[in-house]
C-alpha cells in the first residue's frame, strides 16, 4: 500500500514533536509539509521548534509554513508551563538555518489540497485557527481533502484546561475543556460544522489512555546508542519526567498521527459536535445528536503504544 500523503498542522510542543517524529518515520505516511499555529507556544517559537525538530529528524526536505499568530477572535493562551518555556521540554536541539516555506500556513494547505484533490489527509494537532482560515478562503476544502484527523476535545471525560488557560489547581473542580479547543473555540466550531468527507476527532477520551511511562524514559536515558527519533524523546522528556516528576507522558498528538495512518486503532461514534464558545464551560465539546464527525471513544491502547514505540525505534523498557 502506498503511503498516505499528509500535512501536519502543529503548535510544536513536546507531543507535537513526537507526532512529527512518528510521521517522518512511518512508512504508512508521506509528510508533505508542516504548517504552524500559535498554541502551546507563540507562533515564532512554534515555527522555530518545528523546523528544528524536522532537521533533527533528518527531514530537511519537509517544508514548514508559518501560520496564524493568534486565534480568530481572542487573545492567545499558551501552555508553556506544561511544555516548558521554549515548548520542547528544555530540549537541546539546534535551531534550523533553513528558510520557511514561501506561503503562509492556511494558503499552503489550500494550495496543496488543490494540487492533489481528494488525496491529502490533514492532521491538525493544535488550535484549529489555520484550518478555519483555510476553510473560509477555500470553501471547497472539505471536498479537496481526503479527510481531517484532529487532536482535540474531551467528550466523555474531564478536560485539561481551565477557562483562563491554566491547569486545575488544588481544590478546583475539573475543567471541561481540552487545550486545543479552548484556545480557539470559534475556529473549532467552524471546523466541526464543515462537511469534510471524513473528520475524526481524537480527544482526551482516548489520548489519555495512551502514554509513555517512566520506564520508557529510563530506557532512552540508559541506552548506549540512539537514533535521532528515540534521542528526540530523551531531549524533550526532561521537563515532564524530570522537573514535573510525572510518571506518564500522554501521546495526545502522536495518537492522532497514528490514527491517520490506521483508523482501526480507535473505535468511533458518529455525531454532531457542538462547542461552547462562551460561558463557564467555554471550550467544552459535546456530542450533539446525529452527525458526521467520527468521535473516538475507544482505543486499542497496546497496539497504539506498540506502533509508536516501534516506529520511533524506542529502546525496550526493562520492566
Ligand atoms: C493538546 O494540547 C497541547 O498541549 C498538546 O500539544 C496537544 O495537542 C492536548 O490537550
Ligand atoms: Ca499540539
Amino acid at each position: 500500500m502506498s503511503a498516505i500523503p499528509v500535512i501536519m498542522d502543529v503548535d510544536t510542543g513536546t507531543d507535537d514533536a513526537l507526532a512529527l517524529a512518528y510521521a517522518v518515520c512511518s512508512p504508512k505516511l508521506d509528510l508533505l509539509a508542516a504548517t504552524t499555529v500559535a498554541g502551546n507556544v507563540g507562533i515564532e517559537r512554534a515555527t522555530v521548534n518545528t523546523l528544528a525538530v524536522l532537521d533533527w529528524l533528518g527531514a530537511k526536505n519537509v517544508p514548514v509554513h508559518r501560520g496564524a499568530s493568534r486565534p480568530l477572535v481572542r487573545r492567545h493562551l499558551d501552555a508553556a508551563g506544561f511544555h516548558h518555556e521554549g515548548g520542547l521540554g528544555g530540549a537541546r536541539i539546534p535551531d534550523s538555518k533553513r528558510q520557511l516555506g514561501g506561503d503562509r500556513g492556511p494558503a499552503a494547505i489550500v494550495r496543496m489540497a488543490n494540487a492533489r484533490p481528494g488525496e491529502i489527509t490533514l492532521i491538525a494537532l493544535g488550535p484549529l485557527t489555520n484550518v478555519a482560515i483555510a476553510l473560509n478562503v477555500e470553501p471547497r476544502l472539505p471536498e479537496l481533502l481526503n479527510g481531517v484527523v484532529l487532536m482535540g476535545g474531551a467528550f466523555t471525560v474531564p478536560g485539561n484546561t481551565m477557562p483562563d488557560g491554566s491547569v486545575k489547581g488544588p481544590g478546583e473542580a475539573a475543567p471541561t475543556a481540552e487545550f486545543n479547543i479552548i484556545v480557539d473555540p470559534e475556529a473549532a466550531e467552524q471546523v466541526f460544522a464543515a462537511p469534510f468527507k471524513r473528520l475524526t476527532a481524537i480527544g482526551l477520551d482516548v489520548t489519555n489512555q495512551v502514554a509513555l511511562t517512566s520506564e520508557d524514559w529510563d530506557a532512552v536515558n540508559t541506552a548506549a546508542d540512539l537514533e535521532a527519533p528515540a534521542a528526540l524523546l530523551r531531549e524533550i522528556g526532561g521537563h515532564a519526567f524530570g522537573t514535573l516528576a510525572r510518571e506518564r507522558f500522554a501521546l495526545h498528538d502522536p495518537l492522532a498521527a497514528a490514527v491517520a495512518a490506521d483508523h482501526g486503532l480507535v473505535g468511533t461514534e458518529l455525531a454532531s459536535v457542538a462547542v461552547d464558545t462562551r460561558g463557564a464551560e467555554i471550550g467544552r465539546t459535546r456530542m450533539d445528536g446525529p452527525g458526521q464527525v467520527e468521535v473516538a471513544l475507544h482505543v486499542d491502547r497496546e497496539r497504539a503504544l506498540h506502533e509508536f514505540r516501534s516506529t520511533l525505534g524506542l529502546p525496550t523498557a526493562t520492566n
Side-chain angles (χ1 to χ4, degrees), residues 187-211:
E189 185 177 47
Q190 292 182 23
V191 171
F192 281 123
F196 290 106
K197 285 182 271 186
R198 189 166 203 190
L199 173 56
T200 311
I202 305 297
L204 298 179
D205 312 69
V206 285
T207 64
N208 271 336
Q209 298 182 47
V210 181

Side-chain angles (χ1 to χ4, degrees), residues 251-276:
L251 294 172
H252 303 295
D253 293 342
L255 180 62
V259 170
D262 177 2
H263 267 79
L265 288 172
V266 289
T268 60
E269 270 182 35
L270 282 173
S272 269
V273 171
V275 180
D276 285 21

Side-chain angles (χ1 to χ4, degrees), residues 275-300:
V275 180
D276 285 21
T277 55
R278 58 179 67 83
E281 297 194 316
I282 184 168
R284 180 168 178 175
T285 44
R286 302 169 192 267
M287 295 171 77
D288 194 25
Q292 290 308 314
V293 181
E294 296 184 31
V295 179
L297 296 179
H298 308 281
V299 59
D300 188 336

Side-chain angles (χ1 to χ4, degrees), residues 9-13 15-16 40 83 124-127 151 179-180 252-253:
D9 189 65
V10 288
D11 58 331
T12 314
D15 63 326
D16 301 77
N40 289 318
H83 295 263
L125 304 179
M151 191 284 131
F179 177 78
N180 287 339
H252 303 295
D253 293 342

